[in-house]
Amino acid sequence: HIEPTALGFLPYHFLLASTGMTGRLVYQDITEGKVVGEHKPGYGPTHVLEVSPYNAVVHMGHANGVVTLWSPQQSLPLAKMLCHKGPVQAMAIDSTGKHVATSGLDGRVKVWDIRMFRSLHEYTTLRPAQSLDISQRGLLAAGWGPNVTVWKDALTTQATDPYMRRQLPGSTISDLKFVPYDDVLGYGHSAGISSMVVPGAGEPNFDAFVANPFETRKQRQESEVKSLLDKLAPDTVQLDPMFIGRIDPRSYSQRQHNRLVDARDEYSKNKADGKYVDNNVKNKMKGRNSTAKRFNRKRQSNVVDLKKVLEMEKLEREMRETDTKRRKVPEQEQGALSKFYAERRNE
């Protein structure tokens, strides 16, 4: 990590993500100390970095107003969003990972639906917000200049008026955070650290298996050992974290049949549109066999033509005949004496 300006931690992967003046994104495994991923977005120095609690994807805000989403094992960003017309100043992600709040130098605070990558709501501040945070119950807090503004239900609906305001004359807000499982907002400024009560900010019903605010020292040690044993690999970080447990229930023959039907439909549609030409290209006489002309004649050589469809149908028919030829072993021929029945069948 060289000149880091922002840090993020992936608790289920035990990875420390950092970015800094070099503009690079570095993933380091804190259990082994080795670097598992290093990417260069190419947008210059970055000081905005947040980790999604839903899928552990790192969100980076850049000086050109673009927000990029990163995974440790992929060299290219998972997604890009143009959020502001100026540099991104701050970012916050809610506990569900569905909404992202960003603030830019253009003085706007935008709420995004990360599932569809589109803006839902927009708020305006007199000065660019230097810090953002979202509580467990969906309250949005922004610190701009000497002011702290809190909007209630700002993620699902467009809030007309702020829920709470706090002003510190002669000070500048540098950062703010909601206290988990409590109705308290802490913020740092040029004169020190202060806090304010925000009713309805914290989650009143906690799950002791996920986060226990009253856990003892021994319970914390046991939870650390268990989390180390359940550590996830870096390549499991994806936009859709549910892809790991998915199984295709279809058999190989069913998948082959569906693929054949799709290819036949695509061929019929493209042939009706006149996209296919004869792929049996013959050599012309001199003057008509140039590279450009042969390329034009072969421009459809990589498409699925009727010949390929017929070959796939033949393969499917052979597989179906092979399945029907297989003799189902009766129940009385199974068990410890099955090898004697197998020898008789082979005879």
Side-chain angles (χ1 to χ4, degrees):
H1 308 279
I2 302 175
E3 299 183 26
T5 56
L7 300 175
F9 183 65
L10 285 66
Y12 299 105
H13 304 78
F14 283 87
L15 296 178
L16 177 65
S18 70
T19 184
M21 301 304 296
T22 59
R24 293 180 176 270
L25 174 62
V26 180
Y27 289 90
Q28 185 173 13
D29 192 334
I30 64 172
T31 60
E32 301 178 4
K34 65 178 182 180
V35 176
V36 298
E38 186 174 357
H39 311 307
K40 187 176 181 180
Y43 295 114
T46 306
H47 66 278
V48 179
L49 185 147
E50 292 290 336
V51 179
S52 173
Y54 173 65
N55 51 18
V57 172
V58 171
H59 297 58
M60 296 179 62
H62 304 283
N64 59 348
V66 174
V67 173
T68 55
L69 282 63
W70 294 90
S71 174
Q73 299 296 321
Q74 298 190 22
S75 59
L76 298 176
L78 302 177
K80 294 181 180 181
M81 297 189 304
L82 180 59
C83 299
H84 297 276
K85 297 180 180 179
V88 179
Q89 296 295 106
M91 189 189 313
I93 307 174
D94 70 335
S95 57
T96 62
K98 300 177 181 179
H99 299 93
V100 177
T102 60
S103 66
L105 204 61
D106 53 1
R108 300 181 183 275
V109 177
K110 296 183 179 181
V111 179
W112 300 81
D113 190 339
I114 203 64
R115 297 167 295 180
M116 297 181 289
F117 301 105
R118 67 182 183 89
S119 177
L120 298 178
H121 315 297
E122 184 176 322
Y123 304 94
T124 304
T125 56
L126 298 180
R127 296 184 187 179
Q130 299 296 326
S131 180
L132 295 175
D133 195 25
I134 301 175
S135 72
Q136 295 174 323
R137 299 299 297 273
L139 274 71
L140 175 61
W144 50 279
N147 302 280
V148 175
T149 305
V150 180
W151 290 279
K152 189 175 183 179
D153 299 331
L155 304 180
T156 57
T157 59
Q158 177 76 34
T160 56
D161 296 322
Y163 179 56
M164 295 185 67
R165 287 192 183 99
R166 176 65 61 88
Q167 187 176 22
L168 285 80
S171 300
T172 302
I173 303 297
S174 58
D175 198 4
L176 52 81
K177 288 291 181 182
F178 282 99
V179 179
Y181 306 102
D182 206 345
D183 296 340
V184 177
L185 173 65
Y187 49 92
H189 47 87
S190 56
I193 300 175
S194 304
S195 61
M196 57 184 292
V197 177
V198 182
E203 177 63 44
N205 304 317
F206 63 89
D207 188 356
F209 291 99
V210 177
N212 186 6
F214 305 106
E215 66 179 357
T216 61
R217 182 177 180 181
K218 185 176 181 180
Q219 289 176 340
R220 179 175 179 80
Q221 293 175 351
E222 292 177 353
S223 63
E224 289 179 355
V225 174
K226 184 179 179 181
S227 59
L228 279 172
L229 295 176
D230 297 337
K231 174 185 172 183
L232 299 178
D235 54 0
T236 59
V237 179
Q238 297 292 335
L239 282 177
D240 185 10
M242 306 304 294
F243 79 100
I244 300 176
R246 291 179 181 172
I247 299 177
D248 194 349
R250 300 176 300 170
S251 62
Y252 177 78
S253 58
Q254 291 176 343
R255 296 196 301 269
Q256 189 73 8
H257 175 72
N258 295 341
R259 195 179 300 113
L260 177 62
V261 172
D262 296 340
R264 189 186 297 112
D265 295 341
E266 183 181 1
Y267 172 78
S268 302
K269 179 182 178 181
N270 292 337
K271 186 176 181 180
D273 296 341
K275 294 183 179 180
Y276 288 162
V277 296
D278 188 10
N279 293 326
N280 297 325
V281 181
K282 299 181 180 180
N283 291 330
K284 301 292 183 179
M285 300 305 292
K286 65 177 182 178
R288 299 189 179 184
N289 199 30
S290 63
T291 304
K293 292 184 178 180
R294 288 186 58 83
F295 173 78
N296 291 332
R297 294 197 298 269
K298 289 186 176 181
R299 64 183 182 275
Q300 295 294 336
S301 62
N302 60 338
V303 299
V304 179
D305 55 1
L306 184 59
K307 182 179 179 181
K308 294 182 181 179
V309 173
L310 295 177
E311 291 178 355
M312 295 173 66
E313 290 180 349
K314 181 180 178 181
L315 178 61
E316 183 188 15
R317 186 168 55 254
E318 292 177 354
M319 292 176 57
R320 188 165 53 250
E321 293 176 355
T322 304
D323 293 339
T324 55
K325 290 181 181 179
R326 291 180 181 176
R327 177 176 175 270
K328 185 176 181 181
V329 180
E331 187 175 354
Q332 62 271 15
E333 297 184 9
Q334 300 178 2
L337 302 179
S338 60
K339 62 179 182 180
F340 300 104
Y341 290 103
E343 294 176 358
R344 182 182 302 177
R345 290 195 298 270
N346 294 332
E347 293 176 358

